[in-house]
Amino acid sequence: MKYSYYPGCSMHSTAAEFESSFRFVAGVLGMELTEVEDWFCCGATPAHITDPLLGLALPTQNLLQARPTGLDVATTCAACYNRLKTANRVALEKPKKREALAQILGEEYKGEIPVRHILDIFVNDVGVDNIQRNVLFPLNGLRVASYYGCLLTRPPEVADFDDVENPVTMDKIVEALGGVALEWPFKTECCGASFSLSRSDIVGRLAGEIMRYAKQAGAECIAVACPLCQSNLDLRQKEASEYEGVEFNMPILYITQLMAVAYGGGGKDVGLGKAIVNAESVVHRVFGHRGSERVER
Amino acid sequence: MADAETTAKTKKKADRTGFEPHIIGFLCNWCTYAGADLAGTSRIGYPTNIKAVRVPCSGRVDAMYVINALKNGADGVLVSGCHPGDCHYNQGNYYARRRFMILREIFSAMGINPERLQMSWCSAAEGAKWAQIVAQVTEKIRELGPFEGI
Amino acid sequence: MARIGVFVCWCGSNIAGTVDVKKVAEEVSKLPYVVYSTDYKYMCSDPGQNMIKEAIKEHRLTGVVVSACSPRMHEVTFRRTVQEEGVNPYMMEMANIREHCSWVHDDMEEATEKAIELVRMAVAKAVELEPMEKIEVPVTKRALVIGGGIAGIQAALDIADGGVEVILVEKSPSIGGKMSQLDETFPTLDCSQCILTPKMVDAAQHPNIKIYSYAELEELDGFIGNFQARIRQKARSVDMELCNGCGDCWNKCPQKKIPSEFEAGMSDRAAIYVPFPQAIPNTPVIDRENCIYFQSGKCGVCAKICPTGAISYDQSDEFITEEVGAVVVATGYDLFNTDVIGEYGYGEIPDVISGLQFERLSSASGPTEGKIVRPSDGKKPEEVAFICCVGSRDDKYGRPYCSRICCMYTAKHAILLHHKSHGSQAYVFYIDVRAGGKGYEEFLRRATEEEGAIYMRGRVSRLYRDNGKVVVKGADTLSGAQIELHCDMVVLANGITASPGAEELARKLSISYDEYGFYSEAHPKLRPVETNTAGIYLAGCCQAPKDIPDSVSQASAAASKVLALFSGDFLTREPNIAEVNPFTCTGCFTCREVCPYDAIDEEEVTVHIDGKKVTRTIARVNLGKCQGCGICCAVCRSNAINLKGTKDLQIFRQIKAFTGSEKEKSDEPVGSKK
Amino acid sequence: MKWEIKTEDIHTSFRDEVEELSGESFGACYQCGKCSAGCPIAFAMDHGPTKIMRFCQLGMEDEVINSDTPWLCASCQACTTRCPREIDIAEVMDALRIIAKRRGIKPRTDPDIALFAEIFLSNLRWFGRIYELGLVGEFNLLSGRFFKDFGKAPAMFLKRKLALLPSNPFKWGKVREIFKKCEKMKEGEGRE
Ligand SMILES: Cc1cc2nc3c(=O)[nH]c(=O)nc-3n(C[C@H](O)[C@H](O)[C@H](O)COP(=O)(O)OP(=O)(O)OC[C@H]3O[C@@H](n4cnc5c(N)ncnc54)[C@H](O)[C@@H]3O)c2cc1C
Ligand SMILES: Cc1cc2nc3c(=O)[nH]c(=O)nc-3n(C[C@H](O)[C@H](O)[C@H](O)COP(=O)(O)OP(=O)(O)OC[C@H]3O[C@@H](n4cnc5c(N)ncnc54)[C@H](O)[C@@H]3O)c2cc1C
Ligand code: SF4
Ligand code: SF4
Ligand code: SF4
Ligand code: SF4
Ligand code: SF4
Ligand code: SF4
Ligand code: SF4
Ligand code: SF4
């Protein structure tokens, strides 16, 4: 299983623990990653809301740089995923724009490189059985609310690897790790990550509702698969708690961190210490003593 | 409509010396033929150049009819039937349209100006439209000049 | 040799004011085959017609050209005229020199010239005309009705009352259709079963009606007036003659956990069952998929318990062929499957139910005996949201059309909720309220004014659970507000889709259907109950979504069409249909592909080629089905199929005549066969 | 909010402009309200997306351009995913932002939103990848919201979540080239 890997900006900074846990998990599962050469930012939301062409040119150029490997492009960030997929769709379906892009980039891109989110790769390439087989420390019934966020499944014509209203990929992974995947209604509600810095009032409300429903479902933690979701829900938990009038203290973990824990990853790989809301407590709860040892290691 | 009237009035034979095209019109019985009747009942004038052949459906019009007409000295041919979706026989006019497109291509390939074949949709209620069609088609073929054969 | 007479009409000054009729008569007299020509003031008047008759006698005319008004006006008149004088009526041709000439031109010289051309063309065609006889087909005066919902029942009753035998085929174990599942009906709120059950009984007892329930049409052969219907009587596993409907079997059957179709899954039934107590026939069937005996060979309880020994496990499907002359299709509809709308969580959230489930909840004969309670905990719902247009008017789910009944049944549901569950509040989310029927707007106002249902104009975006309630994320576009309601129950007004298997049945009947599977009527305005296949009629929701009054109207209309068809012993049809030349037909069947009426049959012919006998399959036009459009003729590469009355040769002559290649008598006479 | 619409308020040319840029057709919208119903940000907007669609149908340029809705749209695509007429509403919002910028209009209620996008892009243009500390710092500086997130920053430093130096990819020249070419294309558009 070889992939071309597009980390996206966050993986090298705010989401360092996503990167390290993902690399660890990839190793365990036998995925070989080659980072896209000289990759740069996909432009995220700010680019395409400012200039649609720029918003397409940036991800397209990145895909062009991934092309020589001939491998599927794996990505971790939901926003990058959405942008890269959109670039593919435009290349396939909108010949006029494809031409304009070729003019800008000096090379034509025809949408030939499959872009995959790692959740898709885990469940559909690696397989739930394999995910389960590698578990050393089952999650002992850890109650996890899987949060997919808005961009991973929408719009379905672009994303298309899971149900748009009730995705289950991450839930399958949680169950395979020995956790309990909770049925809850806010799996795909937007957390307002794009306002994380500019309108924390909006984010407080959106994150607050998400947290409330997770809590109501009995979640001990929320699992995410996107750096923007993680940093927003983690960073803005104070605002969320203020909005809802309860102290949530809800650990927000990357799904790969949960996997790494179950696969016996070391503290550096798992990176639990990086969260603002204490996430280590979750592991302690699940494994008791042994768990804390493991995390220290 | 105003067009049609002026064309009809100003192009009186007495005032004209030039070329008068011979045009044959294949009109579907249910829509265009009835529309042409309505133009009559409403006394909406138009040029005399087109003579109608009544067919049950525009889908009845064989490609050979068109070619035959040109071979026998017509300068233009008009096929007219019900609007798409209104065909008395459901899909006849779709077949007609498809055949029309192909024929025009064949004409081009043969060196015949495809404009010599015209097609229109005209319902039983469109008397005025019929007059307009006749005026326009006549004008068009007049512009193309006499068909000299190939 | 053809002998043609030409009669040029003045129509008073209508023609003669613009066209020099004398000149026309004189000019055309010079044409080949024209042996007589004249003009007269009013051709259609009695003296005019007599003139034609006299001329036929005097000049031994074989064909007549009347140069007058549009054939759409007087073709029938003049055909009768010549027939009265012993000439085949189809040997008469008209030249339209009024509507197409004198009325639209004002230059006398030009108009006269054109009139001459038009007459010349008519004469050319007249030379090639052939005598034709009207087609007569014998009719079998029995009708087949497919589908036993309200539409099928009504059609069957009306036809039977007209003294004609009816075969009614219903695929489920009982007739009654969807209407039997409804509670009270808009716009009058009369009880559905109270008005339907008597009709079901009438149908069952009518001496002219034979019901095959639990049966399906297997195959339909033949054509209008002469169909052979092969019917599959599915194995009931119960002997209809012996069973007395005592019910011991279904009470004792151990397999009781099968969701009842009739109760829309709100309660269970046994493996041997009658769908509902008033079912007709009141004989159970064994649902073999779910019966223990059929699945594993054990059980057999019903056979042991049955007092009449009616259980018959080894019954198998039977096939019956019925001869009928006409078919009424009344196979109804199905409800849109709301499972696919992820954001509404139907099937996951127990208190989100369908409109039909609400009918069952509200019905006194339903699983709760008419008490409106929520499925999750059996409690009375206080706040109930109703969502309109679910799966209708929605391109996302491939259904841009309006289902036509859901606005009204939602208004009804709101009223019923307020009637039956005091203190409950109905919130209706709608986009537009479509209340076009008689008394419908008033009914809607009753819901909003008298019952106090709150209508909100906006589509709901999402439903989800919160602490035992269902959160409704909606909008009120009139105030511009986003709305979030916490409701106890949500009712989805599912749209209507074509009934399952509609397309398969359409293929058996060779009738056409639209992209959604609803059957197509022959003309959307003027032939709304006929199909393109002569002798097959439509009634009820199989054609398009409709309410009960419209279903019943269409059913009665279809019945009257059937009775009109059966009013004589023969069907008489115009003879201008297509005809295959068996010598030139290559059997390619391109004609069959384009024929809109499925009028091309296959025929085996034996011909001698080089002294050898060769059997070939060629095309044959079905007299009963062909409507004379001529589409087939234009596609036949070997020119083997021709339309009588508009033959290729007839048109070619017209073309030649028009362009003047055949002007003078001195020309070589054409039509050498004369 | 205007309570009266007069002939002169209706600008079909504006509608056409938005249609051209977004590739969506407003005739398709039957104002069902589903987009507003499911929009997570609607509570903070002056007009829900449905009303914006309505204003676009009518070509009511002033209302649309001066609304903060397009700026508040989080591009979450809930509306696009669920619209029964398959209209890409999120794309329309993008188009409206761009048109507002063309007209030199700053978001009325919250200029910071536009500012954030601007700083993000300039960061991207300079460094090729997003330098998050720089982003936060610059944003705070320019928006005048000093220290807003500095309360968080030390915690994030300690946890090594914010990289201190921008990591430069090799082909940063390519990035700038893309920016320049896109700008040129836009200018070309403007001249037409
Ligand atoms: C929730 C709800 C509430 C409603 N309330 C009202 C109301 O208050 N007032 C009102 O006027 N209308 C109401 N309607 C509409 C009403 O149900 C229909 O107008 C009516 O039932 C249509 O009758 P039908 O005979 O055309 O179809 P159906 O009732 O569907 O009957 C069709 C019959 O054909 C049978 N069938 C199907 N396929 C085959 C086949 N291949 N071979 C043999 N048999 C076949 C079926 O089993 C069925 O018995 C309501 C509908 C719904 C869903
Ligand atoms: C502006 C307009 C546009 C429309 N467009 C459409 C459309 O696009 N498509 C569509 O499907 N429908 C359309 N309709 C509706 C359509 O006109 C009617 O559905 C249709 O004409 C009804 O036909 P009818 O025979 O019932 O009534 P009418 O057409 O009213 O015919 C009734 C006849 O009875 C005669 N009459 C009345 N009283 C007596 C009496 N006491 N004794 C003897 N004779 C009497 C009248 O003189 C009249 O000739 C439209 C209607 C209007 C007003
Ligand atoms: S036959 Fe026709 S044209 Fe002649 S008088 Fe009668 S109506 Fe007029
Ligand atoms: S027990 Fe026998 S007689 Fe009674 S209903 Fe059942 S099959 Fe009929
Ligand atoms: S044999 Fe089948 S139908 Fe009869 S009682 Fe047993 S399970 Fe029921
Ligand atoms: S009848 Fe009413 S609820 Fe049903 S689809 Fe039409 S508008 Fe929607
Ligand atoms: S009639 Fe013509 S088209 Fe039809 S099968 Fe014969 S040859 Fe083919
Ligand atoms: S004339 Fe029309 S209806 Fe008759 S066989 Fe030909 S295509 Fe079919
Ligand atoms: S959801 Fe679509 S159709 Fe409905 S109001 Fe919004 S844009 Fe218009
Ligand atoms: S994309 Fe924008 S307008 Fe649409 S639902 Fe999300 S935030 Fe609202």
Side-chain angles (χ1 to χ4, degrees):
Chain A
M1 276 180 294
K2 288 189 181 169
Y3 300 92
S4 186
Y5 174 44
Y6 179 82
C9 304
S10 315
M11 295 302 275
H12 285 193
S13 56
T14 40
E17 68 272 38
F18 195 6
E19 166 95 357
S20 62
S21 58
F22 169 54
R23 285 198 179 265
F24 173 75
V25 168
V28 172
L29 297 175
M31 293 163 59
E32 278 176 47
L33 306 173
T34 318
E35 211 166 293
V36 175
E37 197 176 336
D38 293 342
W39 65 268
F40 51 82
C41 176
C42 66
T45 309
H48 81 96
I49 67 175
T50 308
D51 175 359
L53 215 48
L54 179 66
L56 291 169
L58 295 170
T60 306
Q61 175 62 31
N62 275 302
L63 288 170
L64 281 171
Q65 284 166 213
R67 188 158 66 180
T69 61
L71 301 169
D72 287 12
V73 171
T75 176
T76 43
C77 170
C80 302
Y81 177 66
N82 192 285
R83 293 316 303 158
L84 294 173
K85 281 286 244 188
T86 304
N88 260 352
R89 188 167 175 228
V90 166
L92 286 169
E93 293 172 16
K94 308 209 165 148
K96 255 200 198 152
K97 283 198 178 156
R98 182 171 65 215
E99 273 166 40
L101 287 170
Q103 232 181 322
I104 292 171
L105 304 174
E107 226 181 314
E108 194 177 10
Y109 176 61
K110 293 196 176 122
E112 64 267 36
I113 305 164
V115 173
R116 318 271 309 273
H117 190 265
I118 55 165
L119 284 183
D120 175 16
I121 293 176
F122 285 154
V123 169
N124 296 318
D125 291 6
V126 175
V128 175
D129 288 349
N130 270 330
I131 294 175
Q132 195 164 16
R133 197 169 311 128
N134 286 294
V135 172
L136 298 176
F137 304 96
L139 293 185
N140 282 344
L142 179 70
R143 299 169 62 80
V144 182
S146 305
Y147 176 70
Y148 299 78
C150 52
L151 288 180
L152 207 50
T153 57
R154 286 180 196 151
E157 310 79 62
V158 172
D160 96 280
F161 73 91
D162 200 343
D163 189 277
V164 59
E165 296 292 348
N166 188 18
V168 292
T169 326
M170 217 187 317
D171 302 63
K172 285 184 191 161
I173 299 174
V174 167
E175 297 272 332
L177 300 176
V180 174
L182 300 169
E183 201 36 65
W184 68 304
F186 269 53
K187 283 179 175 178
T188 61
E189 286 298 311
C190 171
C191 68
S194 46
F195 301 123
S196 201
L197 292 177
S198 57
R199 286 287 298 261
S200 48
D201 56 327
I202 294 179
V203 179
R205 171 167 165 159
L206 298 182
E209 285 186 333
I210 291 169
M211 234 76 85
R212 164 152 55 96
Y213 281 101
K215 192 129 218 163
Q216 218 175 75
E220 294 173 85
C221 67
I222 293 178
V224 297
C226 166
L228 299 176
C229 300
Q230 199 282 338
S231 74
N232 193 42
L233 292 180
D234 193 27
L235 209 61
R236 295 294 169 199
Q237 203 152 120
K238 187 165 144 270
E239 283 83 352
S241 298
E242 269 163 21
Y243 180 81
E244 290 284 330
V246 271
E247 197 57 51
F248 284 117
N249 255 324
M250 179 70 72
I252 314 292
L253 283 87
Y254 290 106
I255 185 71
T256 47
Q257 288 181 296
L258 285 174
M259 294 169 87
V261 166
Y263 293 168
K268 241 184 145 175
D269 303 319
V270 182
L272 283 181
K274 295 209 166 190
I276 290 180
V277 176
N278 186 344
E280 285 157 4
S281 60
V282 172
V283 182
H284 290 213
R285 215 285 286 138
V286 179
F287 302 108
H289 234 45
R290 209 162 40 86
S292 78
E293 266 166 36
R294 276 184 55 260
V295 174
E296 295 309 316
R297 197 178 59 206
Chain B
M1 193 186 118
D3 269 9
E5 269 172 22
T6 41
T7 321
K9 294 236 159 69
T10 53
K11 298 267 161 69
K12 282 274 175 62
K13 184 142 205 188
D15 319 333
R16 280 181 279 138
T17 43
F19 154 67
E20 279 308 317
H22 278 304
I23 304 164
I24 194 156
F26 295 102
L27 313 191
C28 115
N29 177 46
W30 306 97
C31 289
T32 309
Y33 194 93
D37 276 0
L38 179 62
T41 332
S42 326
R43 313 293 200 278
I44 306 170
Y46 54 78
T48 56
N49 305 57
I50 296 187
K51 277 91 193 178
V53 171
R54 185 161 69 129
V55 288
C57 174
S58 52
R60 171 74 183 97
V61 181
D62 201 312
M64 283 312 293
Y65 296 0
V66 178
I67 292 168
N68 228 281
L70 292 179
K71 253 169 62 183
N72 281 294
D75 302 302
V77 176
L78 168 68
V79 178
S80 187
C82 312
H83 287 271
D86 278 355
C87 175
H88 182 81
Y89 303 104
N90 298 308
Q91 311 126 12
N93 51 6
Y94 289 115
Y95 291 115
R97 182 166 59 184
R98 205 174 309 155
R99 205 169 301 139
F100 166 78
M101 309 276 230
I102 296 171
L103 256 175
R104 284 184 90 157
E105 272 175 34
I106 294 176
F107 275 20
S108 298
M110 289 165 67
I112 303 174
N113 190 328
E115 295 288 309
R116 295 210 181 266
L117 174 56
Q118 295 282 325
M119 180 153 203
S120 68
W121 313 124
C122 177
S123 81
E126 295 174 321
K129 184 174 174 194
W130 170 246
Q132 213 173 349
I133 291 169
V134 175
Q136 282 166 357
V137 171
T138 307
E139 214 32 61
K140 179 119 240 160
I141 307 295
R142 197 197 305 284
E143 275 167 28
L144 296 181
F147 179 59
E148 316 260 312
I150 47 167
Chain C
M1 277 280 276
R3 297 176 65 81
I4 308 288
V6 181
F7 303 84
V8 185
C9 182
W10 303 20
C11 200
S13 65
N14 278 306
I15 294 173
T18 324
V19 170
D20 182 347
V21 285
K22 293 246 181 268
K23 182 166 178 208
V24 174
E26 191 195 315
E27 281 298 317
V28 299
S29 71
K30 299 175 190 159
L31 290 174
Y33 305 109
V34 174
V35 294
Y36 178 73
S37 86
T38 186
D39 58 277
Y40 184 66
K41 234 183 193 142
Y42 296 107
M43 269 342 293
C44 61
S45 65
D46 280 345
Q49 294 192 44
N50 285 333
M51 222 169 130
I52 297 174
K53 290 183 190 169
E54 288 303 318
I56 290 175
K57 252 192 292 197
E58 192 173 323
H59 299 279
R60 293 175 290 114
L61 300 181
T62 60
V64 167
V65 170
V66 184
S67 159
C69 47
S70 170
R72 297 169 59 87
M73 176 103 190
H74 272 315
E75 194 171 57
V76 176
T77 314
F78 294 118
R79 281 200 171 140
R80 208 171 36 227
T81 312
V82 300
Q83 188 173 25
E84 280 165 12
E85 205 44 54
V87 173
N88 183 287
Y90 298 95
M91 298 301 288
M92 194 287 303
E93 181 67 20
M94 287 188 79
N96 184 347
I97 62 164
R98 191 178 74 174
E99 281 84 347
H100 286 196
C101 188
S102 69
W103 276 352
V104 288
H105 307 308
D106 39 29
D107 182 291
M108 185 92 159
E109 194 188 326
E110 275 185 50
T112 306
E113 198 179 300
K114 176 169 171 183
I116 293 168
E117 281 175 7
L118 290 174
V119 181
R120 207 162 66 203
M121 288 162 76
V123 169
K125 183 173 182 192
V127 171
E128 293 298 335
L129 287 176
E130 293 165 344
M132 295 192 282
E133 296 305 329
K134 287 214 160 147
I135 300 166
E136 287 197 331
V137 244
V139 283
T140 311
K141 295 189 185 178
R142 291 174 95 222
L144 169 70
V145 175
I146 308 173
I150 181 60
I153 293 173
Q154 185 66 42
L157 284 172
D158 286 354
I159 297 169
D161 284 346
V164 169
E165 246 184 272
V166 181
I167 316 293
L168 177 58
V169 174
E170 164 59 51
K171 103 174 147 184
S172 70
S174 168
I175 59 170
K178 293 283 186 312
M179 190 177 164
S180 64
Q181 291 170 276
L182 305 183
D183 181 26
E184 291 165 16
T185 51
F186 64 77
T188 45
L189 288 188
D190 27 14
C191 144
S192 182
Q193 296 221 332
C194 313
I195 53 178
L196 174 69
T197 330
K199 278 196 185 282
M200 289 167 59
V201 174
D202 283 355
Q205 294 177 346
H206 204 294
N208 283 341
I209 300 181
K210 184 149 115 200
I211 300 178
Y212 291 102
S213 68
Y214 210 48
E216 273 174 69
L217 181 80
E218 191 70 13
E219 206 183 328
L220 187 79
D221 264 345
F223 53 90
I224 183 168
N226 302 277
F227 294 108
Q228 295 85 42
R230 203 165 122 86
I231 295 159
R232 173 197 290 266
Q233 172 65 65
K234 292 179 280 183
R236 278 188 113 87
S237 318
V238 175
D239 188 322
M240 298 265 283
E241 306 281 306
L242 296 176
C243 169
N244 62 15
C246 71
D248 288 351
C249 52
W250 65 79
N251 284 328
K252 291 281 153 40
C253 170
Q255 183 64 289
K256 283 214 170 59
K257 284 271 164 251
I258 303 152
S260 157
E261 294 84 359
F262 181 79
E263 299 293 358
M266 309 273 285
S267 67
D268 295 333
R269 61 160 170 85
I272 182 164
Y273 72 107
V274 290
F276 55 105
Q278 300 91 330
I280 286 190
N282 192 24
T283 315
V285 297
I286 294 182
D287 162 8
R288 294 186 172 184
E289 307 264 288
N290 285 301
C291 162
I292 303 168
Y293 179 82
F294 279 100
Q295 294 307 316
S296 66
K298 302 203 185 72
C299 189
V301 169
C302 49
K304 271 171 237 151
I305 204 99
C306 174
T308 63
I311 306 288
S312 154
Y313 296 127
D314 45 16
Q315 234 179 37
S316 52
D317 290 6
E318 279 171 37
F319 295 90
I320 306 119
T321 300
E322 296 278 5
E323 301 274 335
V324 293
V327 181
V328 176
V329 189
T331 46
Y333 66 99
D334 199 6
L335 288 165
F336 175 77
N337 173 18
T338 17
D339 289 2
V340 302
I341 307 186
E343 61 262 37
Y344 288 171
Y346 180 79
E348 284 161 30
I349 311 174
D351 293 327
V352 176
I353 64 171
S354 73
L356 200 57
Q357 286 175 318
F358 187 88
E359 295 282 339
R360 295 315 301 148
L361 267 184
S362 171
S363 166
S365 70
T368 57
E369 285 160 356
K371 270 224 290 293
I372 297 179
V373 295
R374 16 188 259 166
S376 61
D377 56 8
K379 285 206 190 109
K380 175 182 151 187
E382 307 277 340
E383 324 287 329
V384 181
F386 294 88
I387 304 179
C388 288
C389 304
V390 176
S392 311
R393 307 178 65 194
D394 197 331
D395 299 292
K396 201 112 218 159
Y397 300 104
R399 309 204 167 268
Y401 60 83
C402 165
S403 291
R404 255 185 87 183
I405 55 161
C406 7
C407 274
M408 290 312 293
Y409 80 58
T410 297
K412 172 180 79 173
H413 290 172
I415 293 175
L416 291 176
L417 175 76
H418 286 236
H419 280 187
K420 299 194 174 181
S421 177
H422 294 283
S424 297
Q425 177 63 53
Y427 301 91
V428 179
F429 287 90
Y430 71 100
I431 317 181
D432 309 286
V433 182
R434 301 201 163 162
K438 187 171 181 170
Y440 287 13
E441 179 64 18
E442 295 89 323
F443 184 75
L444 171 73
R445 288 206 342 228
R446 199 167 142 189
T448 55
E449 289 174 22
E450 291 172 29
E451 304 293 344
I454 297 176
Y455 269 64
M456 284 188 286
R457 195 198 168 282
R459 210 174 240 253
V460 169
S461 176
R462 241 201 115 193
L463 301 173
Y464 55 88
R465 251 179 300 183
D466 183 11
N467 268 335
K469 296 255 184 182
V470 183
V471 182
V472 181
K473 282 282 233 184
D476 178 49
T477 56
L478 300 178
S479 63
Q482 196 182 35
I483 290 180
E484 188 178 293
L485 296 180
H486 279 64
C487 290
D488 298 295
M489 190 162 88
V490 177
V491 183
L492 305 179
N494 327 38
I496 278 187
T497 64
S499 76
E503 287 157 19
E504 193 192 338
L505 182 65
R507 280 190 290 270
K508 286 179 190 165
L509 299 169
S510 45
I511 59 178
S512 46
Y513 48 91
D514 65 20
E515 57 196 301
Y516 315 113
F518 292 111
Y519 298 144
S520 308
E521 61 279 13
H523 187 280
K525 269 151 274 187
L526 300 180
R527 293 169 72 196
V529 304
E530 293 157 82
T531 64
N532 283 325
T533 304
I536 301 186
Y537 307 95
L538 300 174
C541 293
C542 62
Q543 179 243 347
K546 10 179 125 54
D547 52 28
I548 297 167
D550 284 0
S551 298
V552 170
S553 313
Q554 200 185 15
S556 292
S560 82
K561 288 275 172 194
V562 171
L563 292 173
L565 176 69
F566 290 169
S567 59
D569 295 332
F570 291 93
L571 292 173
T572 314
R573 315 200 38 232
E574 283 297 314
N576 37 354
I577 62 166
E579 181 181 54
V580 176
N581 180 341
F583 299 105
T584 47
C585 172
T586 60
C588 69
F589 290 101
T590 315
C591 49
R592 183 158 59 187
E593 275 161 38
V594 299
C595 174
Y597 304 96
D598 193 36
I600 306 282
D601 292 339
E602 288 178 11
E603 180 182 29
E604 298 250 302
V605 290
T606 308
V607 286
H608 294 268
I609 298 175
D610 298 336
K612 264 190 272 170
K613 260 194 186 174
V614 183
T615 304
R616 297 190 306 136
T617 309
I618 59 160
R620 185 181 59 191
V621 176
N622 185 315
L623 303 187
K625 291 182 177 175
C626 175
Q627 307 280 316
C629 66
I631 299 169
C632 53
C633 313
V635 299
C636 175
R637 293 211 184 116
S638 32
N639 272 340
I641 190 161
N642 229 320
L643 187 66
K644 292 205 242 169
T646 324
K647 287 198 165 174
D648 288 345
L649 187 61
Q650 293 164 348
I651 303 245
F652 287 147
R653 290 295 177 226
Q654 271 177 289
I655 293 171
K656 272 198 147 180
F658 152 69
T659 51
S661 353
E662 150 176 343
K663 240 183 234 164
E664 300 291 329
K665 272 204 163 132
S666 55
D667 282 14
E668 184 88 5
V670 283
S672 47
K673 64 183 176 175
K674 308 278 147 157
Chain D
M1 175 73 207
K2 236 181 173 169
W3 298 105
E4 190 181 36
I5 300 172
K6 291 193 171 163
T7 330
E8 56 269 26
D9 300 320
I10 295 178
H11 307 284
T12 48
S13 60
F14 174 70
R15 181 197 60 204
D16 298 345
E17 185 182 355
V18 188
E19 287 192 345
E20 166 74 32
L21 193 61
S22 65
E24 301 297 314
S25 154
F26 292 108
C29 170
Y30 57 17
Q31 285 289 299
C32 71
K34 200 170 184 179
C35 45
S36 283
C39 174
I41 320 286
F43 70 91
M45 296 169 168
D46 52 356
H47 306 298
T50 307
K51 232 176 190 168
I52 294 295
M53 295 298 286
R54 180 67 186 145
F55 289 147
C56 287
Q57 280 179 332
L58 294 176
M60 291 175 64
E61 176 163 357
D62 292 349
E63 273 64 22
V64 181
I65 292 291
N66 292 313
S67 163
D68 53 22
T69 299
W71 300 101
L72 284 174
C73 166
S75 303
C76 78
Q77 319 218 44
C79 49
T80 299
T81 299
R82 295 178 190 150
C83 170
R85 298 327 271 285
E86 304 191 303
I87 301 168
D88 191 343
I89 300 124
E91 184 84 37
V92 171
M93 295 294 175
D94 286 355
L96 292 176
R97 280 184 285 248
I98 291 159
I99 291 174
K101 273 186 95 176
R102 275 186 194 166
R103 308 273 201 280
I105 292 172
K106 288 252 145 65
R108 193 160 38 85
T109 53
D110 197 347
D112 296 356
I113 294 169
L115 183 64
F116 179 76
E118 226 167 82
I119 298 172
F120 185 99
L121 290 182
S122 81
N123 253 281
L124 166 50
R125 188 178 187 143
W126 277 94
F127 305 119
R129 290 180 193 166
I130 293 305
Y131 163 41
E132 275 158 327
L133 187 64
L135 189 65
V136 176
E138 202 177 340
F139 178 72
N140 282 345
L141 203 69
L142 292 176
S143 68
R145 293 192 199 166
F146 286 109
F147 307 122
K148 180 156 177 282
D149 275 297
F150 267 72
K152 298 261 159 58
M156 288 179 79
F157 275 128
L158 287 178
K159 309 226 176 216
R160 266 166 288 140
K161 290 205 73 158
L162 288 181
L164 277 171
L165 284 172
S167 68
N168 242 359
F170 288 112
K171 277 200 185 162
W172 58 270
K174 184 83 196 168
V175 177
R176 276 182 221 172
E177 189 191 319
I178 292 174
F179 267 83
K180 276 196 194 129
K181 282 202 175 156
C182 284
E183 264 156 28
K184 248 203 200 129
M185 279 219 162
K186 258 207 310 203
E187 273 166 29
E189 230 169 63
R191 269 201 304 274
E192 268 163 31

